């Protein structure tokens, strides 16, 4: 299997079948993405019109291609895809990304064509991704088959397996334009006539370029096999899953079977947990988990210290920690002493840390820096969340100290959040994130991210049954 | 009582006791905020040094003030506050904002001074806000006593009652710099030696400048009285509450009484619900609720239609709707027909609306506009959420049509969210929100907001028991 995935994720040569000279067409965007990602292998193009597209000569037919191309991207209408796949097989191309839509997901005719594709790949021994996939990505190999305009995709160490094209298209665009983390492999499964989640998970489980795996699935083709593989992989790497269609409405069902659905979901929930997979419930947490797993170590435990410029925030975030399974423990005596030293005498310092009195005396930089260092040194604490209050008028500290502390305490996740002025938050994010410290605009988000990280740690350390 | 609150929220004259010439000091910031908000009444300042601050003459003592000032803001250290309050009483000033900290919230000495304040206000018949409050705001009267640099505070029709200074300080700063909605009255309760939540709620319940009330409370001083008032107010106006300290950790308790806490919280939950108050659990939802209640009508019911550029989003958001108590019903036959007309024939259109196939044929503007209008006209639908896919390459539609539809269907909330490119989202927000259409960066947020609005509607329409 590794051999097959090698052709998908480290191809030496690729061909775009259905290459287009028209900007905005999928057959053109695919080529632009390949060029934008600085793919180092050979790129072939096929279009009956021949000529040249974006400086690359175009072959008039699949038959006219050289032998031994690793991977074909078939960007043709559904009805033309089977014939192209057959011709690829005749040329010895053993791996294909089937990028058209219009198969079983739409109608009976599409179902028939999809069945034809299934027959071809079985007969010819082709490995295929899709159909109805918007592509896949492999940043270590500087390659993407995405048919959505992406530009250069940022490299990272987390990988996505998605039963949706979103992580090759608009959600990836969001990650690239709103966040600073990158990805390693992205697999858009599409209609899964061949490659499915089990095989993808096994490949990524063994992939040295993948440190953590995040999945969006609506169905699991071979559940027993899938959970067997997951049980192994989750001991080595965090695996996070959003299961779509958990409710009746989510399943687009016409009649209500809410009770049955709930029972089915409870069963699924048990299987997921036993396999060491960390289940999430929100789409936006696919991004949150990716960010946290990209930028942070897993905490050793669930004991958090946070500092905030407001008593109310200390209260509501303590409530939130309890709901999320995070502990806000008492600090060591020495830590409390240090916090007391930097604070006005009338404040009795404890965890969580009421930091603003110290800031009014010593300035925000000193208060947050010394306060954070004190709790980072405390063996009772596994992770630290500073809520920075930022306004131009009250002064924005230089943020180097946060980066220095993150380097000094590499085993303890530091997650930054904010209060007050939006523009200052954006600036702080722009400074800290490229240096490896994640920030979160809403004060709940660092705790949600930390809860995911902690659950990943607990899953990896779970006893063997 | 109305008479007293009149002095706080519509004062004809105010005095800052502890006025400071030093920028950055509370006694200076308070004056700058008064000026920045274009307060039309008379402003007096008191500081033993006399002279002039920011162009306003300074009285050397409270005794040297004229008679009949409506409201005093006492911005002095805790220990000097009782004497100042006594002198105010002698000058006939009957209303005071006690803006120092350092009272019962810190130590025994502070508790003693607070007790002294309580005695003075009782003896002299003074009404007081605080102590330990960072101020209050009344935008219809262009006035704020905030001691945090705010500049001009945007006027709106929602009001906050907060047992924290955050809504006079950094959280208000966030609302002003990150959002486009405004506020009417903001009441920072502080240590509540006199004015507390019941009275504040009753005032805002009768206040024609307040359409909805959002509260953050950690304790309720007279619970029976409070819920009695709430039962009345919630029939006329939405009332939303975040109760801080719902868990043991949130209560900063040293020993664990989790079970007792949970029971106590269940009891509180029942009282809150019976009073028609909509309870929220997240701090950031205090802002989300404010935004939704400011910018949207209450939906007639819980039936939502949403459109998204991704099948996976349709699935996970349907799941989310179920969890939030929102229904995603079947559409009328005519609506389905209209959606089918604008879509490629192979897609079977339904609710939720898979909008991207129509966009690829007719362009995003046409598809979203026609799709939204179709579902807005449908009597089965109470609210509409379009998830706009925005990228420079695939084209950003002009957004006027969303504003036009919001005006055409004033009874149905329209909540916009996004996918794809962050910069385009920010531009869309910057265009739509000043025109009255709220946008939400994360795709879950419009549904969370809608769920709050729906619960407010249901509370207002609840049967009298």
């Amino acid at each position: 299997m590794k051999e097959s995935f090698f052709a998908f994720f480290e191809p030496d040569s690729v061909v775009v079948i259905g290459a287009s000279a028209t900007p905005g067409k999928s057959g053109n965007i695919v080529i632009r993405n390949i060029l934008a990602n600085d793919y180092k292998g050979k790129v072939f193009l096929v279009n009956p019109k021949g000529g040249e597209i974006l400086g690359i000569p175009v072959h008039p037919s699949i038959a006219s291609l050289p032998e031994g191309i690793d991977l074909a991207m078939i960007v043709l209408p559904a009805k033309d895809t089977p014939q192209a796949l057959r011709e690829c097989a005749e040329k010895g191309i053993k791996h294909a990304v089937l990028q058209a839509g219009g198969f079983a997901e739409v109608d009976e005719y599409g179902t028939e064509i999809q069945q034809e594709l299934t027959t071809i790949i079985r007969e010819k021994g082709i490995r295929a991704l899709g159909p109805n996939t918007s592509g896949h990505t492999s940043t270590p190999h500087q390659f993407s088959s995405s048919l959505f305009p992406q530009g250069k995709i940022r490299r990272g160490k987390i990988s996505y397996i998605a039963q949706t094209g979103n992580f090759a298209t608009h959600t990836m665009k969001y990650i690239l334009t709103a966040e600073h983390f990158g990805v390693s492999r992205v697999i858009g499964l599409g209609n899964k006539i061949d490659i499915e989640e089990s095989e993808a998970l096994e490949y990524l489980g063994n992939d040295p370029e993948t440190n953590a795996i995040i999945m969006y699935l609506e169905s699991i083709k071979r559940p027993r096999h899938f959970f067997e593989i997951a049980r192994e992989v989750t001991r080595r790497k965090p695996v996070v899953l959003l299961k779509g269609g958990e409710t009746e409405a989510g399943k687009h069902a016409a009649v209500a079977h809410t009770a049955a659905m709930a029972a089915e979901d409870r069963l699924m929930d048990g299987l997921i947990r036993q396999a060491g997979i960390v289940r999430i419930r929100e789409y936006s947490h696919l991004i949150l988990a990716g960010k946290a797993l990209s930028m942070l170590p897993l905490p050793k435990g669930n004991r958090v210290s946070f500092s905030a410029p407001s008593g109310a925030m200390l209260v509501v975030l303590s409530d939130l920690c309890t709901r999320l399974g995070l502990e806000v423990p008492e600090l060591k005596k020495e830590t409390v002493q240090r916090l007391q030293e930097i604070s006005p005498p009338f404040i009795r310092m404890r965890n969580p840390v009421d930091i603003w009195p110290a800031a009014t005396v010593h300035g925000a930089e000193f208060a947050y820096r010394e306060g954070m260092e004190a709790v980072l040194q405390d063996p009772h604490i596994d992770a630290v969340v500073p809520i920075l209050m930022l306004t131009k008028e009250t002064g924005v500290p230089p943020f180097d100290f946060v980066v220095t502390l993150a380097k000094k305490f590499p085993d303890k996740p530091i997650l930054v959040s904010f209060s007050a002025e939006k523009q200052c938050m954006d600036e702080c994010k722009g400074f800290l994130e490229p240096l490896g410290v994640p920030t979160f605009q809403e004060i709940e988000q660092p705790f949600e991210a930390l809860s995911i990280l902690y659950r990943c740690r607990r899953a990896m350390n779970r006893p063997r049954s």
Side-chain angles (χ1 to χ4, degrees), chain A:
Chain A
M1 178 214 324
K2 171 74 187 181
E3 205 179 318
S4 275
F5 275 87
F6 181 86
F8 283 96
F9 291 96
E10 302 174 37
D12 290 331
S13 52
V14 299
V15 55
V16 179
I17 294 163
S20 168
T22 310
K25 285 215 159 192
S26 300
N28 187 268
I29 297 170
V30 169
I31 308 168
R32 287 180 191 268
N33 280 329
I34 292 170
L35 298 176
N37 281 280
D38 302 316
Y39 174 58
K40 301 298 183 205
K42 281 186 209 148
V43 182
F44 297 93
L45 307 178
V46 172
N47 185 307
K49 291 178 195 154
E52 195 173 90
I53 298 173
L54 297 166
I56 304 170
V58 179
H59 287 257
S61 65
I62 297 171
S64 66
L65 288 168
E67 297 282 328
I69 294 172
D70 278 341
L71 181 67
M73 287 158 276
I74 304 182
V75 194
L76 292 172
K79 68 175 174 39
D80 301 327
T81 298
Q83 181 54 25
L85 193 59
R86 262 186 220 103
E87 293 177 25
C88 282
E90 278 155 35
K91 264 290 155 189
I93 302 174
K94 292 288 190 191
H95 306 92
V97 188
L98 306 174
Q99 301 192 263
F103 293 95
E105 79 279 12
V106 294
D107 58 16
E108 210 165 303
Y109 175 59
T111 309
E112 276 171 35
I113 313 175
Q114 184 166 315
Q115 188 48 54
E116 199 181 340
L117 290 175
T118 309
T119 309
I120 298 166
I121 60 169
R122 282 200 193 136
E123 279 174 6
K124 309 286 185 187
I126 293 175
R127 302 305 318 266
L129 197 57
N132 187 31
T133 175
S134 43
H136 73 301
T137 290
S138 176
T139 59
H141 206 63
Q142 296 172 223
F143 176 72
S144 174
S145 66
S146 171
L147 43 71
F148 188 89
Q150 293 291 9
K152 178 86 177 169
I153 298 167
R154 212 181 289 120
R155 185 170 175 178
K157 296 290 276 181
I158 58 147
S159 294
Y160 283 96
I161 300 169
Q163 193 173 342
T164 167
N166 296 3
F167 287 83
T169 61
H170 43 107
T171 298
M172 185 54 57
K173 191 74 174 180
Y174 178 76
I175 291 172
L176 293 175
T177 57
E179 299 293 353
H180 293 90
F181 70 96
V183 296
S184 180
R185 327 286 189 181
V186 174
I187 307 175
L189 293 173
N191 294 1
K192 310 196 281 197
I193 59 167
D194 181 26
I195 291 170
E196 35 70 286
E197 49 283 344
S198 301
E199 213 174 359
L201 181 60
E202 191 170 9
Y203 165 70
L204 294 179
N206 295 316
D207 176 22
E209 295 291 341
T210 295
N211 288 354
I213 301 157
I214 300 170
M215 292 188 287
Y216 171 75
L217 296 177
E218 292 176 6
S219 63
I220 297 172
K221 227 173 163 182
R222 296 180 288 163
R224 186 189 298 256
H225 183 58
F226 175 79
F227 286 115
E228 220 163 80
I229 289 169
R231 270 196 293 277
E232 273 315 301
V233 173
T234 53
R235 298 210 178 267
R236 284 173 277 131
K237 299 180 184 184
V239 177
V240 173
L241 169 67
L242 173 64
K243 174 78 178 56
E246 67 188 32
T247 66
E248 196 59 30
K251 279 205 166 173
H252 290 215
V255 275
H257 289 291
T258 315
M261 279 296 305
E264 194 183 308
D265 190 65
R266 270 197 302 278
L267 179 67
M268 177 60 77
D269 206 56
L271 292 170
I272 290 170
R273 203 176 41 247
Q274 280 161 34
I277 297 171
V278 171
R279 187 176 193 180
I280 55 176
R281 300 276 176 179
E282 309 276 341
Y283 188 84
S284 63
H285 287 189
L286 290 165
I287 302 165
L288 193 74
K291 180 171 181 168
L293 288 164
S294 292
M295 303 179 78
L296 294 168
L298 297 185
K300 297 231 185 306
N302 70 340
R303 301 166 307 169
V304 59
S305 174
F306 60 94
S307 50
S310 141
M313 285 184 176
L314 298 178
V315 171
V316 297
L317 293 174
S318 296
D319 286 339
L320 179 66
C321 283
T322 302
R323 290 203 301 275
L324 291 173
L326 300 172
E327 204 189 326
V328 189
E330 293 297 317
L331 300 167
K332 257 183 74 176
K333 209 179 69 189
E334 292 81 353
T335 310
V336 174
Q337 269 168 5
R338 177 64 188 139
L339 292 174
Q340 205 63 66
E341 271 168 36
I342 65 169
S343 298
F346 59 82
I347 302 286
R348 194 173 74 81
M349 297 300 279
R350 57 187 318 269
N351 191 29
V353 180
D354 188 358
I355 201 66
W356 206 246
T360 55
V361 178
H362 300 290
E365 185 184 359
F366 179 90
Y368 278 105
R369 186 184 66 222
E370 297 301 313
M372 281 175 68
E373 177 140 26
V375 293
L376 281 162
Q377 277 170 344
D378 192 315
H380 297 179
I381 295 301
D382 302 310
V384 170
V385 180
I387 315 278
L388 303 175
M389 187 169 86
L390 304 176
T391 76
K392 286 178 203 110
E393 288 94 341
T394 57
V396 172
F399 300 111
D400 311 67
F401 78 89
V402 183
V403 182
T404 307
L405 287 172
K407 285 187 181 140
K408 190 168 172 187
F409 299 94
D411 298 336
K412 297 194 177 182
I414 298 176
L415 305 91
V416 173
S417 191
F418 310 112
S419 187
E421 197 160 342
K422 178 66 164 62
Q423 289 71 22
C424 302
M425 298 177 183
D426 291 344
E427 279 165 35
C428 182
K429 177 183 168 106
F431 177 85
L432 286 180
E433 294 199 347
L435 297 172
V437 179
T439 71
F440 303 86
Q441 186 172 301
E442 298 193 344
I443 61 173
E444 291 88 2
Q445 289 169 333
F447 299 92
E448 285 160 357
L450 191 58
S451 160
I452 293 170
L453 293 180
Y454 167 62
R455 289 162 65 206
C456 288
R457 162 70 76 183
R458 205 176 47 181
M460 285 174 76
N461 290 353
R462 72 192 188 280
R464 290 190 178 266
S465 55

